[in-house]
Amino acid sequence: MALVATATLGFCLWVGGQPSTVLAQSEPAVERATPTNATTYRFTVGDYRATVVSDGILSFPVGFFVPNADPEAAAAALTDNFLPTDNVLAHLNVLYLETDEHRVLIDTGAGNTFGPTVGYLANNLEAAGIAPDTIDTVIITHAHPDHIGGILDGSGNPVFANASYYIPEPEWAFWMAPTVEMPNALSDADTQASTVAVAKEWLGAIASRTTRFALGDDVIPGVVSVASVGHTPGQSSYLITSGDDSLLATGDVFFSDPLNLENPDWEVAFDTDPQAGVETRKQLLETVVGDRRQLLVPHMPFPGLGHVRAQGDAYGWEPIVWGFGFES
């Protein structure tokens, strides 16, 4: 099964090649090609060893991604950044972290919920020498399919069999409520229904192993929740600190340099509350610029590490200078 674009710019779950809103965990995994470029990037945060692991890449029609933006303005912003004007590319960067006490994953990628161009996380972890069953902690930013879909494999079995899960209480409460409503979202009804179905199924599978916490809490030693609501009602970013070094692992506060940083007022279709998403984006961007904070952004070009800089009345993205990570 996969979440793919339809002719009407909506999304639906696909099972066995046919559109469906019924989840079938027993469906075989989609056939995947072998990536030919880098899929991991190693670095450090203080004394913590960190690795960004790619889960793949997604593509969305521009008009679906920022439906309220002027199409000519959106096309111009993309053209100015040497990007295609028909689709927005979104990488899936997942952070693996070895702290003093834990082997941590922040989010799990898309698994089999979003088509054959994503779902590579488990294989890429293995290729990097990180066995999924050695990960003891999985911390979730929010419960969209491309962030929790990797919890289960194509047969419905847990990928991270020995992990404890952590998720913000308001995020859990929203998706697991008997009725989930998104009256302010700009996405269509099929997209919303599919998203809710995945959240309920996948979160339900880990309910007995999940700890829920308040936004702003210390999650584990060295990792603090930072409220980032708007994209979803309980989305959290995570501030990772070791010694004098730190990294903010953001959720989906922004995705695209030209569409979200150069134009932070443009509403995003995937946001549960697009206006709240705009306000959160502006607040977080102002803060990280002032702090000169290094970021890990799940959907920016791999490895998604960099800084935000002020750029007139808006912002721009400065990716990290690629390091080869030599070890003695």
Side-chain angles (χ1 to χ4, degrees):
M1 60 191 162
L3 212 61
V4 298
T6 69
T8 59
L9 303 183
F11 290 81
C12 61
L13 283 164
W14 281 63
V15 179
Q18 297 297 321
S20 173
T21 56
V22 178
L23 299 177
Q25 293 180 354
S26 59
E27 285 294 315
V30 295
E31 184 176 350
R32 304 187 188 284
T34 300
T36 58
N37 289 323
T39 58
T40 58
Y41 184 83
R42 299 183 190 275
F43 64 110
T44 59
V45 181
D47 292 332
Y48 298 165
R49 295 166 59 92
T51 307
V52 180
V53 185
S54 176
D55 188 57
I57 190 168
L58 293 168
S59 177
F60 302 100
V62 177
F64 178 83
F65 188 81
V66 284
N68 288 346
D70 177 76
E72 291 185 1
L78 293 165
T79 298
D80 286 347
N81 284 268
F82 304 96
L83 294 171
T85 58
D86 53 348
N87 286 295
V88 179
L89 297 179
H91 292 242
L92 264 68
N93 309 310
V94 179
L95 181 64
Y96 169 76
L97 191 69
E98 294 180 14
T99 74
D100 297 333
E101 302 176 31
H102 297 285
R103 297 166 69 92
V104 183
L105 205 62
I106 296 183
D107 289 339
T108 68
N112 294 312
T113 68
F114 240 110
T117 62
V118 290
Y120 291 88
L121 177 63
N123 287 344
N124 289 338
L125 283 167
E126 293 274 12
I130 305 165
D133 61 4
T134 65
I135 292 170
D136 58 64
T137 302
V138 176
I139 304 173
I140 295 171
T141 62
H142 66 290
H144 278 170
D146 54 323
H147 293 260
I148 65 168
I151 288 172
L152 303 174
D153 65 18
S155 299
N157 299 313
V159 174
F160 308 103
N162 298 313
S164 298
Y165 286 80
Y166 296 81
I167 187 171
E169 171 60 41
E171 186 72 1
W172 181 277
F174 176 76
W175 296 107
M176 300 304 281
T179 301
V180 180
E181 297 180 349
M182 293 176 265
N184 297 319
L186 303 177
S187 54
D188 61 78
D190 286 342
T191 301
Q192 294 180 27
S194 296
T195 302
V196 171
V198 170
K200 287 186 178 296
E201 187 84 8
W202 268 245
L203 293 182
I206 57 169
S208 64
R209 294 194 284 148
T210 298
T211 297
R212 305 194 289 273
F213 58 86
L215 290 169
D217 279 0
D218 291 356
V219 182
I220 60 172
V223 180
V224 178
S225 165
V226 177
S228 304
V229 302
H231 184 62
T232 64
Q235 179 177 247
S236 176
S237 301
Y238 296 101
L239 181 61
I240 299 158
T241 304
S242 174
D244 295 330
D245 201 5
S246 65
L247 172 75
L248 183 66
T250 67
D252 287 358
V253 180
F254 59 89
F255 307 77
S256 161
D257 184 355
L259 300 183
N260 303 136
L261 296 185
E262 295 179 12
N263 296 279
D265 287 319
W266 286 356
E267 295 177 335
V268 175
F270 303 121
D271 288 355
T272 303
D273 187 334
Q275 190 53 50
V278 167
E279 294 305 315
T280 291
R281 182 156 53 250
K282 289 180 174 180
Q283 291 169 9
L284 184 138
L285 291 172
E286 182 178 356
T287 298
V288 299
V289 167
D291 293 343
R292 297 179 61 85
R293 180 79 67 198
Q294 185 178 14
L295 307 180
L296 181 282
V297 184
H299 294 301
M300 292 296 272
F302 180 81
L305 292 165
H307 295 82
V308 172
R309 52 178 162 74
Q311 185 171 286
D313 294 330
Y315 302 90
W317 177 248
E318 284 291 341
I320 53 107
V321 175
W322 186 277
F324 285 97
F326 294 113
E327 291 185 342
S328 57

